[in-house]
């Protein structure tokens, strides 16, 4: 099962990703009465300061049948789910201690995604979008930014399906990450 969320009843549920960009999942266990604690889980930036956040554990097909009984949902019992705001939305870690570029979310996506980044001090920020072969597509951000946590909302409705690169460049930092556009 994968953990998903949404902030509006009119939008689809989206996967919650961990720090490495992998889906937060519960993986089947052979042991009867198995207990597993997952988390703490931090929701993406677009869930912060929202009046309503819905969480959902959704079944997905892994492509693998472990035994004749695997996949029978009636055998799974989730008896306790504890949600607290601090671990879920993250404790306030104070001001950022280093420049950090986060994986865009959602990813893969179409047509909108969000790129988050942290700055420990005021500095010039530039975020560029490139095709996988290195061709410059667009400048997403080019400004003087205050220290703190920032995000850029990106609309790629004019781009074709494919892998793209985005680069954060500051006074003393540069990092590149991949994003997948899927129509």
């Amino acid at each position: 099962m994968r953990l998903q969320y949404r902030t509006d009843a009119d939008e689809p549920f989206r996967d919650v990703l961990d720090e490495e960009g992998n889906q937060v999942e519960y993986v089947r266990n052979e042991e009867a009465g198995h207990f597993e604690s997952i988390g703490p889980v931090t929701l993406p930036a677009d869930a912060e300061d929202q009046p309503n956040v819905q969480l959902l554990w959704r079944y997905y097909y892994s492509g693998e049948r472990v035994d004749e009984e695997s996949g029978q949902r009636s055998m799974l019992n989730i008896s306790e789910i504890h949600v607290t705001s601090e671990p879920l939305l993250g404790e306030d870690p104070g001001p950022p201690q280093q420049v950090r570029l986060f994986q865009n979310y959602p990813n893969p996506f179409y047509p909108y995604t969000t790129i988050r980044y942290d700055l420990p001090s005021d500095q010039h920020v530039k975020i560029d979008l490139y095709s996988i072969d290195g061709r410059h597509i667009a400048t997403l951000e080019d400004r003087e930014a205050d220290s703190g946590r920032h995000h850029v909302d990106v609309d790629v409705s004019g781009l074709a399906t494919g892998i793209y690169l985005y680069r954060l460049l500051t006074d003393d930092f540069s990092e590149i990450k991949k994003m997948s556009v899927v129509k």
Side-chain angles (χ1 to χ4, degrees):
M1 293 191 319
R2 288 189 177 142
L3 182 60
Q4 297 188 323
Y5 81 103
R6 68 180 177 186
T7 57
D8 186 297
D10 294 328
E11 67 183 25
F13 280 94
R14 300 178 303 251
D15 288 335
V16 174
L17 304 179
D18 63 18
E19 290 282 322
E20 288 79 41
N22 302 311
Q23 291 100 351
V24 174
E25 296 180 344
Y26 167 78
V27 179
R28 179 179 185 264
N29 190 293
E30 300 278 336
E31 178 184 329
H34 166 72
F35 172 85
E36 182 174 344
S37 178
I38 297 174
V41 173
T42 302
L43 291 179
D46 68 337
E48 292 177 13
D49 299 323
Q50 295 294 321
N52 183 31
V53 177
Q54 294 176 322
L55 295 174
L56 168 74
W57 281 103
R58 176 164 286 166
Y59 287 97
Y60 69 96
Y61 179 60
S62 65
E64 179 179 329
R65 189 170 181 101
V66 179
D67 57 41
E68 288 188 30
E69 294 182 355
S70 70
Q72 293 187 17
R73 298 175 186 177
S74 62
M75 297 179 70
L76 179 64
N77 177 10
I78 298 176
S79 57
E80 292 183 46
I81 297 177
H82 299 278
V83 176
T84 58
S85 61
E86 284 189 42
L88 183 65
L89 296 176
E91 296 175 23
D92 183 7
Q97 300 300 309
Q98 62 185 15
V99 177
R100 186 165 179 200
L101 176 63
F102 294 90
Q103 183 64 49
N104 66 299
Y105 191 88
N107 190 38
F109 68 98
Y110 184 81
Y112 305 104
T113 191
T114 299
I115 298 172
R116 292 180 30 223
Y117 62 94
D118 288 351
L119 298 175
S121 60
D122 299 356
Q123 50 192 304
H124 188 85
V125 172
K126 187 172 183 186
I127 300 176
D128 288 307
L129 181 65
Y130 298 92
S131 64
I132 194 68
D133 62 1
R135 188 173 30 93
H136 185 265
I137 304 285
T139 297
L140 306 174
E141 187 103 300
D142 190 2
R143 68 182 181 100
E144 294 297 323
D146 296 334
S147 66
R149 292 177 169 77
H150 302 273
H151 72 275
V152 177
D153 295 321
V154 181
D155 176 357
V156 298
S157 53
L159 295 180
T161 295
I163 305 289
Y164 294 85
L165 306 172
Y166 60 98
R167 179 182 71 171
L168 171 68
L169 184 62
T170 69
D171 298 337
D172 56 0
F173 179 86
S174 178
E175 186 172 355
I176 296 172
K177 290 196 179 279
K178 291 183 198 177
M179 63 170 61
S180 299
V181 176
V182 179
K183 288 187 178 182

